């Protein structure tokens, strides 16, 4: 059987063959899935993702072909990028297309009948609900939203203000994808209900998420953990509630002087939101530690050494960090 995966993150052949153990950014669960399928099936796979390239780049292995497609599947390049993806499908001739998520435009390929073979979309986030103001920015005041931007970002219509409106437009595209596709996979009652509400004729299949092996190979024990140490993994987006977590730490400091939060993942040093988060971090002094991007093994080490994990998101659909 030949299965072609469309994914939002380009992954190398080595990352896929290792099951994502060395991935220190988004996409580890996709590598875990493919790594397991390589081990337990004799299928042939192709992986396609957009990237900052001028021409289609491809790397081959015995059972995996990895393609990076130019363009970002948005704006003026959308039609051309879809044509390139359609041509790749025609050339590779899969038996099944697996599209990871509704966030990018790959789901338009079957929705607009650009490809003929069966296609299934596995649900990640859902931009429709995510793009509501109170889910994107939470209870942040308009003044705080402005503080999340540099003045240049506001004047140039960049930063999260612009990204919010971009996601609103992407949510309209997502609705076309959900309305005009037939097969979906998910793992929560919420995403199943959402698909049913938007497309009552869709067929929905349960598909649990695969965790990378490192998360099965360690056990948490309070006797070995540092008391009052918190681990958190995504400070790059207002929806993830970073400022709520940091404000909570500030309230708890008088009662737990040794409280500490380790923040995994990158915090921008150039964006207004990154500056905003760093200002909140500075207010807490030594109570916060930036851990940077972490591999699966590094994340496991931080998790077992912490007292608890916190996910303060305003809205999420079974985030992988919580599963891990």
């Amino acid at each position: 059987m030949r299965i072609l995966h469309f994914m939002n993150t380009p992954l190398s052949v080595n990352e896929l063959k290792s099951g994502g153990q060395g991935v220190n950014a988004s996409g580890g669960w996709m590598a875990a899935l493919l790594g397991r399928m390589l081990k337990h099936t004799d299928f042939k796979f192709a992986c396609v993702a957009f990237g900052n390239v001028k021409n289609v780049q491809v790397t081959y292995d015995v059972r995996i072909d990895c393609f990076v497609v130019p363009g970002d599947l948005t704006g003026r390049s959308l039609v051309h990028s879809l044509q390139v993806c359609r041509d790749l499908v025609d050339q590779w001739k899969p038996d099944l297309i697996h599209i990871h998520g509704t966030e990018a435009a790959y789901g338009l390929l079957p929705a607009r009948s650009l490809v003929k073979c069966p296609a299934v979309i596995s649900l990640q986030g859902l931009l429709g609900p995510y793009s509501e103001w109170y889910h994107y920015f939470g209870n942040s005041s308009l003044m705080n939203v402005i503080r999340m931007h540099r003045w240049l970002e506001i004047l140039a219509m960049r930063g999260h203000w612009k990204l919010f409106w971009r996601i609103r437009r992407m949510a309209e595209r997502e609705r076309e994808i959900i309305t005009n596709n037939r097969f979906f996979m998910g793992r929560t009652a919420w995403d199943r209900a959402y698909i049913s509400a938007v497309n009552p004729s869709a067929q929905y299949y349960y598909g649990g998420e695969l965790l990378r092996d490192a998360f099965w190979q360690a056990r948490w024990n309070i006797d070995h953990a540092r008391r009052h140490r918190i681990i958190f993994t995504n400070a790059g987006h207002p929806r993830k509630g970073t400022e709520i977590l940091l404000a909570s730490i500030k309230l708890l400091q008088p009662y737990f002087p040794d409280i500490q939060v380790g923040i995994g993942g990158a915090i921008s040093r150039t964006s207004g939101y990154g500056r905003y988060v760093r200002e909140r971090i500075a207010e807490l002094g030594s109570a916060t530690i930036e851990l940077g991007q972490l591999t699966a093994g590094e994340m496991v080490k931080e998790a077992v050494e912490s007292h608890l994990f916190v996910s303060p998101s305003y809205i999420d659909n079974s985030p992988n960090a919580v599963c891990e």
Side-chain angles (χ1 to χ4, degrees):
M1 189 171 187
R2 295 168 65 84
I3 303 176
L4 187 148
H5 295 261
F6 282 107
M7 50 186 60
N8 298 339
T9 305
L11 294 171
S12 70
V13 169
N14 288 335
E15 288 172 330
L16 296 171
K17 290 172 69 175
S18 71
Q21 296 310 308
V23 176
N24 61 356
S26 178
W29 66 91
M30 294 182 290
L33 171 65
L34 280 165
R36 192 67 61 86
M37 293 179 76
L38 282 167
K39 183 177 180 180
H40 294 286
T41 75
D42 59 358
F43 299 165
K44 173 82 173 179
F45 300 96
C47 301
V48 182
F50 64 79
N52 187 23
V53 295
K54 292 183 178 180
N55 300 297
V56 175
Q57 294 185 356
V58 57
T59 52
Y60 298 100
D61 197 74
V62 176
R63 292 173 56 203
I64 313 175
D65 299 336
C66 292
F67 299 89
V68 181
V69 177
D72 59 2
L73 292 179
T74 59
R76 296 177 181 177
S77 69
L78 174 59
V79 174
H80 174 70
S81 297
L82 287 176
Q83 290 172 346
V84 174
C85 292
R86 178 203 61 195
D87 292 344
L88 280 177
V89 172
D90 290 343
Q91 294 165 16
W92 204 79
K93 294 180 172 54
D95 299 301
L96 175 70
I97 294 173
H98 179 181
I99 299 169
H100 287 271
T102 53
E103 300 92 336
Y106 302 116
L108 293 176
L109 291 166
R112 296 180 179 177
S113 300
L114 297 175
V115 294
K116 303 302 181 185
C117 68
V120 60
I121 300 175
S122 56
L123 299 166
Q124 297 173 170
L126 290 168
L127 296 183
Y130 284 12
S131 62
E132 297 295 338
W133 177 275
Y134 53 90
H135 286 150
Y136 194 98
F137 291 110
N139 64 350
S140 296
S141 66
L142 181 59
M143 185 56 66
N144 277 341
V145 172
I146 292 173
R147 291 192 185 107
M148 293 176 186
H149 296 75
R150 297 182 184 274
W151 284 112
L152 184 60
E153 289 177 326
I154 295 174
L155 294 173
M157 284 297 290
R158 294 169 55 191
H160 279 286
W161 178 264
K162 173 68 177 293
L163 187 56
F164 169 73
W165 292 108
R166 181 187 178 193
I167 288 180
R168 296 282 289 182
R169 292 193 300 271
M170 291 168 64
E172 296 175 7
R173 182 181 70 198
E174 178 187 72
R175 195 168 187 88
E176 178 185 353
I177 290 171
I178 294 175
T179 300
N180 295 321
N181 272 284
R182 183 179 177 188
F183 303 112
F184 297 87
M185 292 192 299
R187 63 187 190 276
T188 69
W190 180 58
D191 67 31
R192 181 170 192 156
Y194 189 80
I195 294 298
S196 178
V198 176
N199 183 358
S201 64
Q203 294 187 33
Y204 180 96
Y205 302 91
Y206 175 81
E209 198 77 346
L210 270 176
L211 304 188
R212 289 169 285 177
D213 289 344
F215 292 97
W216 299 106
Q217 295 169 354
R219 292 290 180 270
W220 179 86
N221 187 318
I222 187 61
D223 295 328
H224 301 150
R226 172 176 169 172
R227 299 273 180 162
H228 308 149
R229 186 179 191 273
I230 298 166
I231 185 76
F232 168 66
T233 58
N234 195 328
H237 197 290
R239 175 173 59 82
K240 294 295 184 176
T242 307
E243 60 273 16
I244 292 295
L245 172 61
L246 297 177
S248 302
I249 299 298
K250 192 172 183 179
L251 289 173
L252 290 169
Q253 273 185 309
Y255 305 97
F256 303 94
D258 61 342
I259 195 169
Q260 184 183 81
V261 59
I263 302 176
I267 303 175
S268 173
R269 295 188 176 276
T270 58
S271 71
Y273 184 69
R275 180 190 63 183
Y276 178 81
V277 170
R278 290 179 186 282
E279 288 174 351
R280 308 285 84 74
I281 289 174
E283 294 172 359
L284 298 175
S286 60
T288 59
I289 298 176
E290 290 185 47
L291 302 174
Q293 296 282 20
L294 302 173
T295 64
E298 291 167 343
M299 182 60 205
V300 168
K301 181 177 182 295
E302 294 293 340
V304 297
E305 291 178 357
S306 298
H307 196 154
L308 74 156
F309 169 84
V310 174
S311 178
S313 298
Y314 299 124
I315 186 170
D316 249 323
N317 182 32
S318 183
N320 288 280
V322 172
C323 297
E324 292 170 346

